[in-house]
Amino acid sequence: MKSPSVSATAVTIELNAVLVALTANEPQVLTLEDGGLLPSGPFESEHPTLQSGLRAWVEQQTHHPLGYVEQLYTFADRNRAQENGRRIVSISYLGLTRERLSRGVRDPEWRNWYRYFPWEDWRAGPSPLIAKEILPRLRKWSDAAGDPALKRERRQRIDINFGDGKDHWNEELVLQRYELLYELGLVPEASSRAGSVSSPLPGMPMRHDHRRILATGIARLRAKIKYRPVVFELMPDTFTLLQLQRAIEALAGRTLHKQNFRRLIDQQGLVEETGALTSQSAGRPAKLYRFRREVMLERAVGGSKLPLSRPA
């Protein structure tokens, strides 16, 4: 039997980073090449671990050190990008940091993640993009199904992922929504599978499948802030409760019920007063708080559903 060639069997391991920061109550993601790529690089033999390899690549490319990091997902689809006949397997990571100005080898840029997924921002109410552009196309796709069972299945997928555009919104289904839009050829990235995409939905595209990786990172973080205090990795050393609320709202893409949010924070004992006040030129000064990092050693923080406000 003829042995397979090296190019037919070789696999390249690529490390990707979804590096998130918060600036002025907006979620930012670190990108390269005019926002078209996430920081990435190959896993090489001199890297002692996958995570150390990721840290080395990100710091080399962006001059930005990584803080909190966790493995996100492994993308190994056969139709992923290939180089020199090698199949690429991507191991992605989610990192949280505080934005700072820096210039690396490939000129990194912080981009608001809602530039890539504008339909995911419900802080000012339901996204008008869903009702005006997304749902009409999805319903047309559903109605085109000749088989009643297939039509019913498509309608269920629409209802689960997008609802009616006014209510029943699950903010964690970022990846499922993007993949449905990709399947229907409504995003530019689908051109690699179905040729040119006519009238793509608003939203900045990314090269390869990096927008899919970003969607995975956003979904993971939105789920994680409900049961682990990871949001404090993005906060300054001291902050007001309103700043903390706005930070969580920015990540979730939803508004929180103010009184219920403050009651939840008080019950969990995650923060403590510093004794200082904000030095605002206008308005009443607000109390400054700090994260009680030792609480992580004292007890396991139980999961709590965020007190999200219902759309008007």
Side-chain angles (χ1 to χ4, degrees):
M1 180 185 300
K2 183 179 179 180
S3 60
S5 64
V6 173
S7 62
T9 60
V11 173
T12 296
I13 298 178
E14 179 185 80
L15 306 175
N16 296 97
V18 178
L19 187 58
V20 178
L22 277 171
T23 303
N25 298 324
E26 293 298 333
Q28 309 284 338
V29 60
L30 191 62
T31 65
L32 302 172
E33 299 190 13
D34 295 324
L37 290 174
L38 297 169
S40 62
F43 178 64
E44 298 180 338
S45 58
E46 63 266 25
H47 295 148
T49 65
L50 290 168
Q51 191 174 120
S52 65
L54 177 84
R55 291 180 182 275
W57 272 113
V58 170
E59 293 181 18
Q60 175 185 330
Q61 292 178 350
T62 70
H63 291 183
H64 198 299
L66 284 178
Y68 174 92
V69 175
E70 68 172 65
Q71 190 168 325
L72 186 60
Y73 195 76
T74 298
F75 296 86
D77 301 8
R78 187 175 295 277
N79 62 353
R80 292 196 81 248
Q82 296 191 6
E83 280 184 359
N84 300 322
R86 290 174 175 264
R87 184 173 178 182
I88 299 178
V89 174
S90 175
I91 302 176
S92 58
Y93 286 80
L94 173 65
L96 306 180
T97 187
R98 296 172 189 171
E99 178 185 351
R100 73 177 194 181
L101 297 176
S102 60
R103 295 180 67 87
V105 177
R106 298 168 66 186
D107 192 18
E109 294 184 12
W110 291 98
R111 303 263 179 161
N112 189 319
W113 75 30
Y114 292 122
R115 292 182 63 179
Y116 299 96
F117 304 98
W119 54 84
E120 293 292 340
D121 190 358
W122 282 48
R123 287 174 293 175
S127 170
L129 181 61
I130 295 176
K132 291 180 180 179
E133 297 197 41
I134 295 179
L135 283 178
R137 300 195 200 187
L138 294 182
R139 287 166 179 160
K140 182 178 180 180
W141 165 70
S142 174
D143 293 342
D147 179 66
L150 179 58
K151 181 180 292 188
R152 183 166 54 252
E153 177 187 340
R154 289 181 175 182
R155 287 178 177 172
Q156 288 176 345
R157 291 179 66 188
I158 295 170
D159 291 342
I160 291 172
N161 287 299
F162 289 96
D164 60 1
K166 299 178 181 179
D167 206 347
H168 308 297
W169 179 255
N170 185 340
E171 63 279 353
E172 295 180 27
L173 301 181
V174 187
L175 177 61
Q176 290 91 325
R177 283 188 282 270
Y178 173 74
E179 290 187 329
L180 179 57
L181 298 177
Y182 180 95
E183 180 183 334
L184 271 63
L186 300 180
V187 293
E189 292 89 340
S191 62
S192 62
R193 176 180 59 88
S196 62
V197 174
S198 60
S199 302
L201 292 169
M204 186 174 176
M206 301 187 84
R207 291 169 55 188
H208 310 311
D209 58 355
H210 283 207
R211 190 150 62 139
R212 182 186 178 201
I213 296 173
L214 175 56
T216 306
I218 296 172
R220 170 72 65 83
L221 187 52
R222 284 184 167 184
K224 203 170 186 69
I225 59 175
K226 296 177 182 179
Y227 64 89
R228 297 290 291 178
V230 293
V231 66
F232 295 103
E233 301 291 339
L234 304 170
M235 300 297 295
D237 293 333
T238 61
F239 47 84
T240 68
L241 291 183
L242 181 59
Q243 288 173 333
L244 179 60
Q245 178 180 337
R246 292 288 184 261
I248 296 175
E249 289 174 337
L251 299 175
R254 301 284 297 277
T255 56
L256 300 174
H257 188 282
K258 182 178 178 180
Q259 287 73 27
N260 290 346
F261 169 74
R262 297 199 173 191
R263 187 179 302 114
L264 177 65
I265 292 298
D266 183 61
Q267 290 172 349
Q268 293 188 340
L270 295 175
V271 301
E272 62 185 1
E273 295 183 19
T274 66
L277 300 175
T278 57
S279 55
Q280 297 175 332
S281 57
R284 182 179 178 181
K287 294 180 180 180
L288 286 171
Y289 292 78
R290 67 169 66 93
F291 173 48
R292 290 184 61 228
R293 196 165 293 276
E294 65 273 14
V295 79
M296 301 299 295
L297 302 176
E298 294 174 357
R299 60 181 171 83
V301 178
S304 298
K305 185 70 174 177
L306 289 178
L308 299 171
S309 297
R310 293 176 61 84

